[in-house]
Amino acid sequence: MANALVSIQIIPKTKNGEDSIPYVDAAIDVIEQSGVKYQVNPLETTMEGELTALFSIIEKMNEKMASLGCPSIISQVKVYYKPDGASMDVLTEKYR
């Protein structure tokens, strides 16, 4: 069972001021390839899983941005940690 929700907004500085959306798409692809449950929202993406695994994914996202030539990356992260179980669906069910 997942014990954490982690929301991330990744803001890559591009080499020559290019549009950052393709870079953000590549960062989201890192999440997709990880296999964790996630939801893309307008300003951030929320992942559900084990806290250590989610932090590892964030590290891989930053490494991906660097490998694409970004000289710097800002990652704004929010963490909801609940050892006995965390769920996006449970937290948002009253709004559906």
Side-chain angles (χ1 to χ4, degrees):
M1 173 182 285
N3 67 12
L5 304 177
V6 174
S7 292
I8 180 165
Q9 178 187 34
I10 197 158
I11 306 166
K13 181 175 182 182
T14 58
K15 294 176 282 195
N16 299 306
E18 304 98 320
D19 182 9
S20 64
I21 296 301
Y23 293 85
V24 172
D25 289 342
I28 293 170
D29 190 50
V30 171
I31 298 171
E32 174 73 30
Q33 291 176 22
S34 76
V36 300
K37 182 177 180 177
Y38 71 98
Q39 179 176 315
V40 176
N41 298 298
L43 300 176
E44 64 189 11
T45 299
T46 302
M47 302 180 284
E48 180 177 302
E50 294 300 310
L51 187 60
T52 54
L54 300 179
F55 282 146
S56 177
I57 293 166
I58 291 169
E59 181 179 22
K60 290 175 184 166
M61 293 168 75
N62 280 271
E63 290 169 348
K64 180 66 175 182
M65 296 300 95
S67 76
L68 293 174
C70 296
S72 65
I73 304 101
I74 296 171
S75 296
Q76 295 187 8
V77 178
K78 292 185 233 175
V79 177
Y80 173 72
Y81 178 70
K82 188 174 178 201
D84 63 344
S87 166
M88 285 188 276
D89 294 333
V90 170
L91 284 179
T92 60
E93 67 188 349
K94 71 180 180 181
Y95 302 106
R96 296 175 195 254

